[in-house]
Amino acid sequence: MNSSKHSKQETISSIPVFSGLDRDSILTLAHNASENGYSRGEFIFSEGDRADGFHILTGGRLKIFKLSPDGREQILHIVSPGQTFGEAAVFSGGLFPASAQAVEKSSAIFIPKAALTEILEKNPRAAMNMLAVLSARLRHFATLVENLSLKEVPSRLASHLILLEARDGSDTVYVDITRTQLAFLLGTIPETLSRILNRMNSAGIIEVKGRKITILDRNRLEDLATGHYRL
């Protein structure tokens, strides 16, 4: 993406958190913002870094993740272009609780905390929009904790496919991350994920063709997601 002030202005005005801001406020944010490029595997920030601003992904894709003491990776969220990340830590006034790493060549706009705080103090609507974003993120993590602690891996996968179906608006969904990344997102290992996909395919619940998955039996998929059916 062009890193000119004009393109930053357009990007900032297009995201929901800044919906309704006047032109001068958008220009102020764009003036204070910077756009950075990241190569695949590069960290945008690491767990424990000071949260001195938040980001808008403008290109590529990245993962938000934590590492356990034994080095096991748990992906918390996959960020796509147009989405923001790192907001919550900015308002807590502390450190980032997780790491952000590019999974492909990416770019992101960085808005410093001071510029963001000034705009939110002057614009109640923007502050309410930010609360809505943070509330949605909290619901996401509450669901993630519930899935990881209460559901078995097949149920987690079924729930994820239902979310992808809602996102794509079709019973054929495209998994836009690797098998390994999907496994880490679901709190398992790639070998286990592959076995479950093969079993769901053999059972006639889904049809797997590379990264495309077609849902063949929606009722059984829902029952699998809720734990009323087991493979």
Side-chain angles (χ1 to χ4, degrees):
M1 176 179 288
N2 189 315
S3 59
S4 70
K5 188 180 298 184
H6 181 61
S7 68
K8 286 189 292 184
Q9 178 184 339
E10 289 181 334
T11 299
I12 292 169
S13 64
S14 70
I15 67 170
V17 69
F18 296 129
S19 173
L21 281 187
D22 58 80
R23 182 173 180 274
D24 287 344
S25 296
I26 295 294
L27 286 173
T28 297
L29 286 170
H31 176 74
N32 286 280
S34 59
E35 187 166 17
N36 305 292
Y38 302 94
S39 57
R40 180 181 179 183
E42 187 174 354
F43 281 80
I44 293 80
F45 53 78
S46 297
E47 181 175 354
D49 287 351
R50 181 159 299 281
D52 54 357
F54 90 114
H55 306 256
I56 307 167
L57 191 66
T58 55
R61 187 168 284 104
L62 59 87
K63 61 182 179 181
I64 308 295
F65 71 99
K66 290 181 71 71
L67 287 177
S68 67
D70 63 359
R72 185 173 62 86
E73 182 178 305
Q74 173 61 60
I75 294 180
L76 305 175
H77 184 51
I78 297 293
V79 184
S80 298
Q83 294 182 329
T84 60
F85 60 101
E87 312 96 333
V90 171
F91 293 102
S92 69
L95 310 177
F96 285 114
S99 300
Q101 183 182 29
V103 299
E104 57 187 63
K105 185 178 179 181
S106 302
S107 58
I109 290 175
F110 172 76
I111 299 179
K113 179 180 178 179
L116 175 63
T117 301
E118 180 182 352
I119 292 298
L120 296 182
E121 287 176 347
K122 295 178 180 178
N123 295 271
R125 179 174 177 180
M128 293 300 294
N129 289 344
M130 180 63 77
L131 282 175
V133 169
L134 295 176
S135 295
R137 197 65 48 81
L138 180 61
R139 288 194 300 272
H140 166 78
F141 288 129
T143 300
L144 178 63
V145 169
E146 178 185 5
N147 288 342
L148 292 176
S149 57
L150 300 178
K151 289 186 175 182
E152 296 180 349
V153 178
S155 294
R156 296 176 212 162
L157 175 57
S159 296
H160 186 70
L161 292 177
I162 290 171
L163 286 175
L164 292 182
E165 181 189 40
R167 181 200 69 183
D168 294 351
S170 169
D171 58 8
T172 296
V173 301
Y174 180 74
V175 181
D176 51 6
I177 54 178
T178 67
R179 286 276 181 94
T180 298
Q181 291 161 359
L182 179 58
F184 290 161
L185 181 64
L186 297 176
T188 187
I189 58 176
E191 293 79 7
T192 299
L193 176 62
S194 292
R195 285 198 300 269
I196 293 170
L197 282 169
N198 289 335
R199 287 162 61 188
M200 291 173 68
N201 190 88
S202 297
I205 300 173
I206 59 175
E207 181 181 42
V208 182
K209 290 184 177 180
R211 291 195 176 188
K212 288 186 177 180
I213 298 177
T214 301
I215 298 171
L216 303 177
D217 192 329
R218 186 61 158 72
N219 291 333
R220 274 202 294 168
L221 188 69
E222 288 181 347
D223 286 343
L224 186 59
T226 57
H228 292 122
Y229 169 79
R230 292 193 176 190
L231 288 174

